[in-house]
Amino acid sequence: MKTLSPLNSSNPCLLKTHFLKVPIFNPIFKFKPLPHNTHHARIAKVPSFTMNSKLKSSQDINNTGKKSVSQKIVLSETSPPPLAVDKDGINGGSGSESVPVSSKKKGGVSGLAKKLSKKVLQILSNLSLAIGEMFTIAALMALGTVIEQGEAPDFYFKNYPEDHPVLGFFTWRWVLTLGFDHMFTSPVFIGMLALLGASLMACTYTTQIPLVKVSRRWAFLHSAEAIRKQEFSDTLTRASIEDVGTLLMGAGYEVFLKGPCLYAFQGLAGRLAPIGVHISLLLIMVGGTLSAAGSFKGSVTVPQGLNFVVGDVLGPTGFLSTPTEAFNTEIHVNRFYMDYFESGEVSQFHTDLSLLDMDGKEVMRKTISVNDPLRYGGITIYQTDWSISALQILKDNEGPYNLAMAPLQINGDKKLFGTFLPVGDINSPDVKGISMLARDLQSIVLYDKEGKFAGVRRPNSKLPINIDGSEIVILDAIGSSGLDLKTDPGVPTVYAGFGALMLTTCISYLSHSQIWAIQDGTSVIIGGKTNRAKMEFPEEMNRLLDKVPEIVESSSSQQVDTITSG
Amino acid sequence: MVKLVDTLLLGSSARASRFESEWRHGIFYSKRLLGHLIFMIFSTLEHILTHISFSVVSIVISTHLITLLVNEILGFHDLSKNGMIISFFCITGLLITRWILSGHLPFSDLYESLIFLSWGFSIFHIVFCFKKHKNDLSAIIAPSVIFTQGFATSGVLTEIHQSAILVPALQSHWLMMHVSMMIFGYAALLCGSLLSVGILVITFGEVIQILGKSNNLYFLNESFSFVEIQYMNRNERNNVLQKTFFSSSRNYYRSQFIQQLDRWSYRIISLGFLFLTIGILSGAVWANEAWGSYWNWDPKETWAFITWTIFAIYLHTRKNTKFESVNSSIAASLGFLIIWICYLGINLLGIGLHSYGSFTSN
């Protein structure tokens, strides 16, 4: 985009010639030759382009400064065509921008299909519809947290009975037929999400991509009243427009100067970033669908020292799930251990794993813990839980016996495991014995036949304890590790979408400010507007304008007297 | 002789080792004493800071209320501004003390996150206060009310809450980013939605008052001018003002005030939306690293997503410029309620994977 600077070679800094990478429609300059356009896939437009190029050249001939105002009006009223950004950077496509609507070349069915798709597109990209969709989705999600998910139908019969329904009408029939018991996978919810995705795509295509062209199209304002009508406007009585331009450039604006007119803008990215937001949302949706349809999940509790095969544990979640070669790996739990705080609570639990392939060769070895998973061949193994599997004891120096420990039910997330060593006649109906309880792998509490507290032992101390005549030595408490396995092909896409969303949301916080100015005799009339930062804009402009030097008519040549304020 | 030396040596070495062990014991005990001392200093410091900030904020809030009513005492404004700055430093000191004491960032439970929330409010208040360069009622009303809430809750909760240990699932670097972004997001969104509630209160209060008075044409005219004024831009407004005949310039100032509130609300909510987005996404990535799945439809996650959706609706209702301030204020007020449900309501129920902050645990 070339700028026409006034023939003022003392201000070379105003020549910014390379600003826009893709030049857009320029009402003033020469038209580009025809052949560059043929590789745009708008077949219907090619014949019209020839008409149009003639139109443009005639416009060129008649072009004067005044005419460009009416040209500006014409430009902004026609809706711009869809995307036609070329690799060569030629603005061919945009040249057909004031194209007469004569693209109905094909007849019959495809014409009908085109009309129908246009209508559908128009409906889908309606903003109120989108807002309604978002609202419905929010309401459905809220409902999904209120209604208990994933319970058996009996639960809903009991809680939403037909004789006295909740809120007067909500019975279990509503819940089960609409699928509210599995809300987040129910057809209603998924359908709304799909509709929102369609709206997003339609909106991006019809409204936002043309917005790119419209916002990057700029035009000078040539009349003082037009400038005074802006949200912010001011008049500087003795100033020159070049000074204003220089100051704006110093403040970070892109400035264009043509004759007595000036146009400057800043923060264009803030207007274009919402497009990126919508595209990244679409990316996340696609990735989410891929995850839901194509991943494998499974969880397993493995006692220390045992193995399992990956493929036995994982189960598919959707129709796109296909197992890979890595599913034949066998995993061996070498060791499971826990770290404790000084107060005795669990601080972290670790599992030392070896991965063996089908020939029994170890391909990987790693110690995992919570927040530190293992990744191999697309499979990820997470440490999520733990339990105690068995207690190894010596009774009267006989053994070692392995006593399996069972979890005992208490409230909260504290765990308790217990086991029982029978004493005396095993086959009698009310057999008595020694009970052993453990909260974690650190210490075991022992109780005698009557249930009285007998003592506490740590497994690695090997100290014997005498209960009811038997001598018990606790050799080891064998823990078992709770592992979750997963493969998820959608994760890279989703992560890309996340990153893009974060970035584009940050950028869309910027405010797009535009400033017009005109030199009217010795005074400069300035007006501007901004789309987001409406509070700070007037103050910023006032600060900037305070710095414009005032021209004092001391000599005939336009010497700027340095009465700069501030 | 050798034996004597031997026994002497042995004896002395035994004594030496005994002395050494006693000495080591002594060091050990004095280390523990020192540790206890430091602990006590820090905890008293924390105690003091909490009480100072609480009382300063109460004073500030009461001065704001007085200025609202009286409207003329100039000295109070400086007092309130300085009061806010003092309380900001107090809270910062409080957070840092808790951090040093417990060894981990102060995010582990509800009390600490509430303190962090009040810190977030004070930051936003100070940033926007300094940006304004002139006193404005809008920057005063909202943060005062918010501060009341933040501090009342945290004061009511416990006197001085003992800092707890971090469970294994929370021992991650993502904790810092996720929780801080979420809380900053909540703080900004709460500020913005309170401003919108203010807009609604003023708009509808005024309209109801006017319509309730009488069916006189004069009043209708006034109500027309008042309500319509907000939807015109600056120059149209000047024309209308010159043309319509109304006696009180009160309406004009009130509509200007509403416009300011509206614009501030928009800016703050945009910023809060940004933080909320980053917070939700970093939470999702963390969940993927820790539990294997980036979205579990956990109640807390779902409500955070609902909050995000409501504020996305807010941002989109502003596209339609005809009724932008009223419609979007309705959305933002709804968002205000939803944030409190998301932040406190879920914890009260104590369900789901986010049950660290619940009242019923421990």
Side-chain angles (χ1 to χ4, degrees):
Chain A
M1 181 67 78
K2 302 196 194 62
T3 64
L4 279 186
S5 69
L7 306 170
N8 198 347
S9 50
S10 61
N11 287 342
C13 54
L14 282 177
L15 293 172
K16 281 196 96 131
T17 57
H18 59 275
F19 161 64
L20 285 170
K21 311 277 188 307
V22 179
I24 57 168
F25 184 81
N26 188 323
I28 318 294
F29 297 108
K30 36 190 192 305
F31 93 108
K32 308 291 179 190
L34 174 61
H36 290 270
N37 245 9
T38 46
H39 48 260
H40 285 299
R42 292 270 150 193
I43 312 167
K45 290 231 184 331
V46 169
S48 50
F49 179 82
T50 38
M51 286 192 311
N52 190 47
S53 54
K54 292 207 187 76
L55 197 66
K56 202 160 146 215
S57 49
S58 63
Q59 278 176 0
D60 264 347
I61 293 168
N62 298 343
N63 194 24
T64 58
K66 303 276 184 316
K67 257 270 172 110
S68 51
V69 175
S70 52
Q71 268 186 347
K72 181 204 88 173
I73 296 175
V74 164
L75 291 176
S76 51
E77 273 171 2
T78 57
S79 63
L83 230 241
V85 177
D86 202 355
K87 286 196 183 50
D88 312 337
I90 308 291
N91 61 342
S94 51
S96 54
E97 167 271 337
S98 48
V99 66
V101 186
S102 61
S103 50
K104 305 195 194 337
K105 294 295 155 184
K106 318 290 163 73
V109 176
S110 59
L112 204 61
K114 266 198 173 167
K115 259 200 211 164
L116 194 63
S117 62
K118 251 203 160 92
K119 202 76 195 334
V120 165
L121 219 55
Q122 228 177 358
I123 296 178
L124 274 182
S125 52
N126 185 7
L127 186 65
S128 318
L129 178 69
I131 292 182
E133 283 168 10
M134 289 199 271
F135 201 71
T136 322
I137 289 181
L140 284 178
M141 289 199 280
L143 209 57
T145 54
V146 168
I147 303 179
E148 284 279 343
Q149 299 288 298
E151 302 278 343
D154 266 357
F155 179 83
Y156 302 108
F157 294 157
K158 250 189 337 179
N159 284 339
Y160 301 95
E162 273 186 310
D163 29 348
H164 40 226
V166 176
L167 290 183
F169 67 96
F170 203 72
T171 66
W172 58 264
R173 284 193 194 280
W174 284 83
V175 175
L176 289 178
T177 41
L178 288 175
F180 284 174
D181 58 332
H182 54 283
M183 169 71 81
F184 302 108
T185 45
S186 68
V188 175
F189 190 65
I190 304 276
M192 286 309 301
L193 282 179
L195 195 59
L196 188 65
S199 281
L200 269 178
M201 287 195 274
C203 181
T204 310
Y205 184 68
T206 56
T207 320
Q208 302 212 300
I209 291 184
L211 188 66
V212 175
K213 306 193 120 203
V214 171
S215 66
R216 288 164 75 189
R217 169 182 312 134
W218 46 267
F220 297 104
L221 286 181
H222 292 270
S223 66
E225 297 102 51
I227 291 185
R228 286 208 189 90
K229 279 211 198 111
Q230 297 298 326
E231 281 176 5
F232 166 82
S233 71
D234 203 353
T235 312
L236 300 173
T237 43
R238 281 192 295 269
S240 94
I241 208 165
E242 288 93 0
D243 296 328
V244 174
T246 321
L247 269 170
L248 285 174
M249 272 179 50
Y253 282 76
E254 300 285 351
V255 177
F256 301 91
L257 205 55
K258 177 183 81 98
C261 309
L262 173 144
Y263 174 74
F265 70 88
Q266 188 189 41
L268 185 62
R271 205 177 264 272
L272 304 179
I275 304 178
V277 172
H278 289 105
I279 294 183
S280 32
L281 280 174
L282 283 171
L283 204 61
I284 294 178
M285 277 189 176
V286 165
T289 318
L290 208 56
S291 289
S295 54
F296 279 89
K297 279 193 211 295
S299 64
V300 66
T301 309
V302 191
Q304 176 177 296
L306 298 187
N307 300 1
F308 66 97
V309 178
V310 172
D312 293 339
V313 168
L314 288 175
T317 57
F319 58 94
L320 285 177
S321 316
T322 48
T324 65
E325 187 53 40
F327 278 38
N328 289 325
T329 323
E330 192 177 332
I331 302 189
H332 178 73
V333 176
N334 295 318
R335 191 172 155 235
F336 172 76
Y337 59 99
M338 304 205 285
D339 296 334
Y340 304 92
F341 286 111
E342 275 171 11
S343 50
E345 321 225 348
V346 178
S347 98
Q348 187 60 274
F349 30 105
H350 311 262
T351 309
D352 182 0
L353 294 171
S354 308
L355 271 71
L356 313 162
D357 66 0
M358 279 203 294
D359 308 320
K361 203 164 49 83
E362 179 178 294
V363 288
M364 187 163 177
R365 180 162 185 166
K366 186 178 159 145
T367 304
I368 64 171
S369 53
V370 184
N371 279 320
D372 183 18
L374 179 150
R375 292 198 165 91
Y376 173 76
I379 307 174
T380 320
I381 306 181
Y382 300 87
Q383 172 86 66
T384 51
D385 205 359
W386 63 273
S387 75
I388 306 184
S389 90
L391 213 54
Q392 207 176 49
I393 61 165
L394 279 179
K395 178 172 181 233
D396 297 324
N397 289 323
E398 291 165 8
Y401 296 113
N402 277 354
L403 300 171
M405 293 205 94
L408 302 174
Q409 196 79 353
I410 56 170
N411 298 331
D413 7 79
K414 301 279 198 256
K415 299 183 201 239
L416 189 64
F417 298 89
T419 189
F420 180 71
L421 180 68
V423 163
D425 185 10
I426 305 176
N427 296 321
S428 78
D430 49 342
V431 56
K432 296 221 191 282
I434 301 172
S435 317
M436 301 173 218
L437 293 179
R439 224 180 262 281
D440 49 39
L441 295 175
Q442 270 183 329
S443 48
I444 319 285
V445 184
L446 296 114
Y447 297 85
D448 68 356
K449 280 203 305 229
E450 321 298 322
K452 256 188 340 165
F453 171 73
V456 179
R457 285 290 177 270
R458 289 179 176 262
N460 40 2
S461 67
K462 311 268 194 290
L463 281 176
I465 184 171
N466 205 322
I467 308 180
D468 300 328
S470 331
E471 191 176 284
I472 312 276
V473 177
I474 300 198
L475 293 175
D476 201 5
I478 303 175
S480 59
S481 174
L483 301 168
D484 266 12
L485 289 87
K486 185 189 74 135
T487 80
D488 196 340
V491 167
T493 321
V494 170
Y495 274 14
F498 281 172
L501 187 60
M502 282 199 235
L503 200 61
T504 46
T505 315
C506 278
I507 297 179
S508 65
Y509 185 66
L510 295 174
S511 187
H512 180 221
S513 323
Q514 296 171 293
I515 298 177
W516 291 271
I518 221 176
Q519 177 103 49
D520 192 4
T522 53
S523 59
V524 172
I525 306 168
I526 297 185
K529 64 175 181 180
T530 183
N531 68 342
R532 291 193 219 281
K534 296 205 170 143
M535 299 304 298
E536 299 109 349
F537 187 60
E539 292 174 15
E540 186 199 336
M541 287 313 301
N542 282 328
R543 269 205 308 272
L544 212 62
L545 292 179
D546 279 345
K547 293 196 197 138
V548 177
E550 192 178 345
I551 299 178
V552 175
E553 298 288 347
S554 54
S555 52
S556 54
S557 66
Q558 290 243 335
Q559 281 305 317
V560 173
D561 210 352
T562 52
I563 314 181
T564 38
S565 56
Chain B
M1 180 67 173
V2 174
K3 251 174 112 171
L4 193 59
V5 171
D6 267 346
T7 42
L8 268 179
L9 276 176
L10 265 175
S12 66
S13 63
R15 250 184 320 201
S17 60
R18 230 183 17 241
F19 177 68
E20 225 179 281
S21 67
E22 271 174 15
W23 191 51
R24 270 205 208 101
H25 260 288
I27 292 276
F28 176 64
Y29 277 125
S30 59
K31 257 195 199 163
R32 287 190 73 169
L33 265 180
L34 199 61
H36 273 297
L37 200 61
I38 292 178
F39 182 80
M40 269 176 39
I41 292 177
F42 271 120
S43 49
T44 18
L45 191 63
E46 195 187 321
H47 211 108
I48 294 173
L49 282 175
T50 322
H51 282 271
I52 290 181
S53 40
F54 193 35
S55 27
V56 165
V57 166
S58 325
I59 296 176
V60 163
I61 290 169
S62 27
T63 52
H64 281 327
L65 287 176
I66 296 176
T67 17
L68 265 183
L69 299 172
V70 175
N71 219 11
E72 275 305 316
I73 307 180
L74 286 168
F76 269 173
H77 178 73
D78 279 334
L79 178 71
S80 59
K81 202 162 162 190
N82 294 337
M84 281 301 197
I85 297 181
I86 292 178
S87 64
F88 170 66
F89 282 119
C90 282
I91 303 180
T92 317
L94 182 65
L95 283 174
I96 294 183
T97 329
R98 279 194 84 91
W99 186 359
I100 296 177
L101 264 183
S102 61
H104 60 262
L105 283 165
F107 286 140
S108 57
D109 61 353
L110 195 61
Y111 175 69
E112 291 180 341
S113 64
L114 273 176
I115 300 273
F116 200 80
L117 187 68
S118 349
W119 189 61
F121 284 139
S122 61
I123 284 190
F124 280 117
H125 177 253
I126 287 185
V127 162
F128 281 98
C129 203
F130 277 118
K131 253 191 175 181
K132 277 300 282 178
H133 299 295
K134 51 185 180 188
N135 22 342
D136 195 72
L137 218 54
S138 64
I140 293 177
I141 299 177
S144 323
V145 180
I146 294 167
F147 254 95
T148 321
Q149 277 185 320
F151 257 90
T153 339
S154 68
V156 153
L157 209 49
T158 42
E159 325 76 35
I160 283 291
H161 188 88
Q162 275 304 99
S163 29
I165 52 172
L166 273 183
V167 296
L170 288 184
Q171 292 173 10
S172 162
H173 294 299
W174 285 104
L175 173 72
M176 198 167 68
M177 177 148 164
H178 169 61
V179 180
S180 55
M181 283 289 127
M182 288 301 280
I183 295 193
F184 278 135
Y186 286 152
L189 289 174
L190 283 171
C191 281
S193 15
L194 262 183
L195 292 176
S196 295
V197 168
I199 293 176
L200 276 184
V201 162
I202 298 180
T203 317
F204 287 116
E206 185 68 23
V207 167
I208 289 176
Q209 200 185 30
I210 287 177
L211 289 179
K213 274 192 185 153
S214 80
N215 289 338
N216 204 347
L217 212 64
Y218 174 70
F219 285 110
L220 278 181
N221 196 16
E222 219 178 81
S223 73
F224 156 77
S225 357
F226 172 68
V227 169
E228 289 293 307
I229 260 178
Q230 310 173 48
Y231 309 131
M232 301 175 195
N233 69 5
R234 199 181 72 116
N235 287 321
E236 284 178 20
R237 187 174 295 144
N238 286 338
N239 297 334
V240 165
L241 286 180
Q242 282 157 11
K243 287 177 194 156
T244 45
F245 166 72
F246 54 70
S247 47
S248 68
S249 55
R250 217 178 45 154
N251 278 346
Y252 173 68
Y253 285 119
R254 191 169 271 129
S255 63
Q256 282 285 72
F257 182 56
I258 287 187
Q259 193 192 46
Q260 274 197 326
L261 275 183
D262 188 42
R263 288 175 174 173
W264 270 118
S265 164
Y266 177 55
R267 207 69 178 134
I268 296 184
I269 288 185
S270 310
L271 194 62
F273 188 72
L274 173 64
F275 285 136
L276 187 69
T277 311
I278 297 183
I280 293 180
L281 294 180
S282 55
V285 174
W286 184 17
N288 199 23
E289 299 298 307
W291 298 316
S293 157
Y294 47 81
W295 195 259
N296 289 319
W297 298 111
D298 188 48
K300 185 103 176 183
E301 286 176 349
T302 312
W303 277 99
F305 192 43
I306 294 177
T307 313
W308 190 85
T309 309
I310 291 284
F311 284 104
I313 292 179
Y314 171 86
L315 292 175
H316 281 86
T317 50
R318 294 189 71 89
K319 292 281 171 200
N320 180 11
T321 50
K322 191 82 176 63
F323 288 106
E324 62 174 10
S325 61
V326 176
N327 285 353
S328 49
S329 309
I330 295 177
S333 319
L334 200 59
F336 181 71
L337 289 171
I338 290 182
I339 292 183
W340 283 117
I341 296 179
C342 177
Y343 187 47
L344 288 182
I346 297 293
N347 291 341
L348 284 174
L349 294 179
I351 51 178
L353 293 164
H354 272 92
S355 55
Y356 313 117
S358 90
F359 293 133
T360 59
S361 74
N362 294 342

